[in-house]
Amino acid sequence: MADKTNELKLAFAEALSKVNTMEELENLRVEYTGKKGYITGLMQEMKNLSPEEKKVFGQTVNVLKDEVNEKITEKREELKKKELEAELARMPEFDISMPPTLKRGSYHPITLVQRQCEEVFKSMGFAIEDYSEIVTDYECFEALNIPKDHPARDMQDTYYLENGQLLKSHTSAAQNAIYKKYKDALINEGKPIKAIFPGRCFRNEATDACHENTFFQMEGVMVDKNISISNLIFFMKTMLSEVFQKDIKVRLRPGFFPFVEPGFELDISCLICGGEGCPSCKHSGWLELCPCGMIHPEVLKAGGIDPEEYTGFAFGLGLTRLAMMKYGIKDIRDLNSGSLKSLSQFTDDK
Ligand code: DAH
C-alpha cells in the first residue's frame, strides 16, 4: 500500500509539472482529490486492512492529500501571476514617473459659456438646477400644454425608450418639476421662483452646419406676482451683455410656443458674419438665440400655481448656439466631434 501512495505522489508531481492553465489545474485537482479521485480511492481500499495497518496507512494518505492540496494552491498562485504578467505585457507602456509633457485638458466651449451664464444668473439670485436627460411624455409635452397629436410635437421628434420615456427634446421638460419644487415657498413665504436649468437635449434631426441631434440649452423661469414682459427683456439683455462683454444687437419678434403666451423669438445679430449672412445664420444675418415668453396659465396650473395670482416668464437659451457665436465656431458638428484640435483652443478663456 505504501508503494501505491508513493507511485501516486510521483505521478501527481509529473502531471502537475505539465499543467499550464487554470482549467488543466482544476481537472488535475478533481482527478486526484475529487469524490471519485485517486486519493479517495486509496481511502476506500483501507477497509481490507487490519486496524494497525489502517492507522499507519490512513496517516500516509492524509499526508499525501495535504501535500497535493498544497501543491495545487501553489500552482494556482503561480498561474495567476503568469496571467497577470501576460496581461501587463499586452498593455501599452505607461511610465507614471515621467514628467507631464502633455498639455492640461481643456473645458469644452459649451461648458465655458454654461458657466458664464450660470455666474450671471446666480448673481441675479437664480438657483441652478440639474435635471434628468430621460423624462416622461407628461414632463416634455403634456405639462407644457402640448397634448398628444399637437403639431408642435413634430418639431421635437426625439428618441424614445421602450418603456415610453424619452430623451428630453428641450430643457422646458424640467419646468413642471421646478414649479412643483418651489411652489410652496412661493405661496407660503412669498419667495419668487427664480431658477435656471441647463441641460443636454436630443432631437431626431438631420445634421448640417447649424443642426445637431444632441445640443445644449439653458432654460430659465421666474414666477412671482406682477412679473411682466419688461422683466423678461431686462434679464435677457443683462445676461447677453455680460456673456459677450459688449453690446449685442437683438431683436424680439413674435414666436409661437404652446407653453408661453405671448411668445417671442429673441434673435441676435450673427456675430460670425457681422449680420451680412452666412451658412451659420442661414444667410439671414440673424440668429435665433433665445425663444421666450410669458408662462402659459395652463402650464402654471399644471405646476400647482394659480395663474390668477401669479405670472412668470420662461426662456430657452440655445447654449450651443451661444458657444458658436461667442467663439466663432462655424460648424455645430465640431462641438460633438471630440476633436481636441478644434475644442482645446478655448482653454485659457475661462
Ligand atoms: N423649449 C423650446 C424649444 O426648444 C424653447 C423655448 C421657447 C423655451 C419659449 C422657453 C420659451 O422657455 O419660453 O424649442
Side-chain angles (χ1 to χ4, degrees), residues 197-256:
F197 24 110
R200 181 161 37 187
C201 305
F202 306 84
R203 284 195 201 168
N204 180 9
E205 191 86 72
T207 53
D208 60 27
C210 45
H211 293 94
E212 250 293 10
N213 51 30
T214 307
F215 55 96
F216 287 77
Q217 292 185 337
M218 195 183 78
E219 190 92 358
V221 292
M222 178 168 182
V223 183
D224 199 359
K225 289 188 172 156
N226 303 320
I227 296 290
S228 70
I229 298 171
S230 325
N231 297 107
L232 167 65
I233 295 171
F234 166 78
F235 279 105
M236 291 298 99
K237 275 199 166 158
T238 311
M239 189 271 303
L240 289 172
S241 58
E242 288 285 328
V243 169
F244 287 102
Q245 294 289 311
K246 61 174 172 182
D247 265 344
I248 299 291
K249 232 166 110 184
V250 295
R251 70 175 186 189
L252 208 59
R253 61 194 165 86
F256 173 73

Side-chain angles (χ1 to χ4, degrees), residues 271-316:
L271 299 178
I272 294 201
C273 59
E276 306 230 310
C278 69
S280 300
C281 59
K282 293 187 208 146
H283 305 281
S284 71
W286 291 95
L287 225 101
E288 286 173 15
L289 187 71
C290 190
C292 49
M294 300 304 292
I295 303 165
H296 196 286
E298 287 302 323
V299 175
L300 286 175
K301 253 194 245 167
I305 296 166
D306 180 2
E308 297 291 327
E309 206 170 333
Y310 299 97
T311 50
F313 65 76
F315 59 88

Side-chain angles (χ1 to χ4, degrees), residues 186-203:
L186 170 74
I187 297 164
N188 303 330
E189 298 161 41
K191 277 192 190 158
I193 300 179
K194 288 164 92 179
I196 53 167
F197 24 110
R200 181 161 37 187
C201 305
F202 306 84
R203 284 195 201 168

Side-chain angles (χ1 to χ4, degrees), residues 55-229:
K55 196 172 159 202
V56 179
F57 184 67
Q59 274 172 359
T60 324
V61 174
N62 274 336
V63 169
L64 174 67
K65 196 174 170 184
D66 287 348
E67 267 179 33
V68 164
N69 279 333
E70 208 174 292
K71 292 249 158 64
I72 285 176
T73 311
E74 263 172 30
K75 188 77 178 184
R76 190 175 290 129
E77 290 309 309
E78 187 189 314
L79 288 176
K80 261 195 215 160
K81 208 169 140 203
K82 270 197 194 149
E83 272 179 9
L84 184 68
E85 276 165 7
E87 196 175 323
L88 286 175
R90 266 182 268 121
M91 280 165 65
E93 266 184 38
F94 179 66
D95 183 354
I96 52 166
S97 62
M98 288 281 284
T101 49
L102 286 171
K103 267 182 50 198
R104 257 185 338 129
S106 58
Y107 285 111
H108 193 282
I110 292 178
T111 307
L112 294 173
V113 286
Q114 179 180 325
R115 289 191 178 172
Q116 284 163 353
C117 294
E118 285 177 3
E119 284 311 312
V120 178
F121 278 101
K122 224 179 350 179
S123 73
M124 297 192 287
F126 281 70
I128 300 165
E129 292 284 345
D130 201 12
Y131 203 69
S132 167
E133 285 173 357
I134 298 176
V135 295
T136 59
D137 185 274
Y138 177 79
E139 291 172 301
C140 203
F141 301 119
E142 302 255 342
L144 292 167
N145 203 25
I146 314 177
K148 296 229 172 355
D149 304 320
H150 191 290
R153 288 193 180 210
D154 291 352
M155 286 179 308
Q156 303 230 2
D157 188 18
T158 178
Y159 303 94
Y160 286 79
L161 277 66
E162 277 171 4
N163 66 5
Q165 287 185 310
L166 45 112
L167 297 187
K168 70 173 177 235
S169 56
H170 53 175
T171 41
S172 311
Q175 278 196 25
N176 190 256
I178 300 289
Y179 299 140
K180 286 177 177 158
K181 176 173 175 183
Y182 288 105
K183 73 173 170 34
D184 288 343
L186 170 74
I187 297 164
N188 303 330
E189 298 161 41
K191 277 192 190 158
I193 300 179
K194 288 164 92 179
I196 53 167
F197 24 110
R200 181 161 37 187
C201 305
F202 306 84
R203 284 195 201 168
N204 180 9
E205 191 86 72
T207 53
D208 60 27
C210 45
H211 293 94
E212 250 293 10
N213 51 30
T214 307
F215 55 96
F216 287 77
Q217 292 185 337
M218 195 183 78
E219 190 92 358
V221 292
M222 178 168 182
V223 183
D224 199 359
K225 289 188 172 156
N226 303 320
I227 296 290
S228 70
I229 298 171

